[in-house]
Amino acid sequence: MNRYEHLANSVVYSIRGTKAALVHKDPSLKLIGEGRSAFAFKIKGTSLVLKVFFPHFDKVAEEEAGIYRVLAGNSFFPSLHESGSNYLVMDYVRGMTLFQCLVNGLPIAAEHIEDVDQALKLARQKGLNPSDIHLRNIIITPDDEVKLIDVARFRQTKQCSQWEDLKSAFNKYYRHERFPKKMPEPAMNLIAYFYKRGLLPSIN
């Protein structure tokens, strides 16, 4: 058993309904993210992230690892260092998500949007179909670079309009001088809730 597998096995959690609660982990792991299928931990003393998937999501772990391998060499995405049956080891990406930028009032530039477009174009050139692109999986680094994470749905066959909708909202609303560049997190979550349920009017 290698070090990363040992760390992944140290993660203990309980499942209640659709929510997972962390019960135990190795002291060298710092929890930095919680999703529908996994916990993400920064491995202390390194520039790596360990993503540990919940039971019944082994296929998602395998799928995401395969997609990161296809994206190898694409600087817009973190590099995959290792994977196991229920975990991935990837680059740790420092920075703020677009969601955090909006909550904290940090400016999002047109160049950032263009970089996301370029990242998705390069992914498509590899035969992928980028999907589930939202504010929480696009990061602006301290060097003002754009990174995308959470690529498990990049092989979906259906067309996803999420990024085009976000881009339209950026151009139509965010760039307007009177649009608030800082929004309360509850308001952001409410907008996301209505969007997911198709309850917002069309932007295009």
Side-chain angles (χ1 to χ4, degrees):
M1 183 184 298
N2 65 33
R3 181 193 179 196
Y4 301 127
E5 186 177 3
H6 173 78
L7 289 174
N9 288 341
S10 77
V11 177
V12 179
Y13 41 83
S14 61
I15 305 291
R16 295 179 181 176
T18 59
K19 300 287 288 184
L22 183 63
V23 176
H24 177 268
K25 62 178 178 58
D26 187 277
S28 66
L29 298 178
K30 177 184 178 182
L31 182 65
I32 59 171
E34 302 177 49
R36 291 168 294 185
S37 61
F39 284 136
F41 302 91
K42 170 83 162 49
I43 304 176
K44 295 177 183 178
T46 76
S47 56
L48 299 174
V49 166
L50 175 71
K51 188 172 182 178
V52 181
F53 290 79
F54 307 143
H56 311 303
F57 287 99
D58 292 356
K59 290 293 184 183
V60 178
E62 181 182 356
E63 178 74 0
E64 189 162 12
I67 293 169
Y68 273 120
R69 292 189 182 99
V70 171
L71 292 168
N74 187 328
S75 62
F76 290 109
F77 298 88
S79 296
L80 177 72
H81 294 271
E82 186 178 310
S83 65
S85 62
N86 70 328
Y87 70 89
L88 308 179
V89 181
M90 302 171 293
D91 291 334
Y92 172 64
V93 180
R94 294 176 57 235
M96 303 278 280
T97 66
L98 294 192
F99 184 93
Q100 291 169 327
C101 287
L102 283 166
V103 169
N104 290 281
L106 299 176
I108 300 169
E111 290 76 14
H112 297 138
I113 304 303
E114 292 167 4
D115 282 348
V116 177
D117 269 337
Q118 180 64 10
L120 301 180
K121 177 182 176 181
L122 293 173
R124 291 187 187 100
Q125 290 174 355
K126 292 285 189 177
L128 299 172
N129 179 34
S131 303
D132 197 32
I133 312 299
H134 55 76
L135 297 175
R136 285 188 169 95
N137 59 18
I138 302 169
I139 297 173
I140 300 175
T141 74
D143 296 325
D144 206 36
E145 296 176 341
V146 166
K147 298 281 186 180
L148 281 72
I149 59 173
D150 294 340
V151 300
R153 298 187 182 183
F154 272 36
R155 281 194 177 124
Q156 285 192 168
T157 54
K158 69 176 183 179
Q159 291 303 117
C160 177
S161 66
Q162 226 168 325
W163 172 243
E164 292 302 318
D165 291 340
L166 285 173
K167 192 164 58 170
S168 294
F170 174 84
N171 289 318
K172 188 172 183 178
Y173 300 115
Y174 183 85
R175 298 182 76 171
H176 194 285
E177 62 181 12
R178 294 185 180 178
F179 185 85
K181 301 303 187 286
K182 183 176 182 178
M183 299 183 68
E185 187 168 350
M188 292 289 296
N189 288 328
L190 191 61
I191 292 170
Y193 175 86
F194 284 123
Y195 173 81
K196 287 179 181 178
R197 282 153 182 79
L199 300 176
L200 292 181
S202 174
I203 297 170
N204 299 305

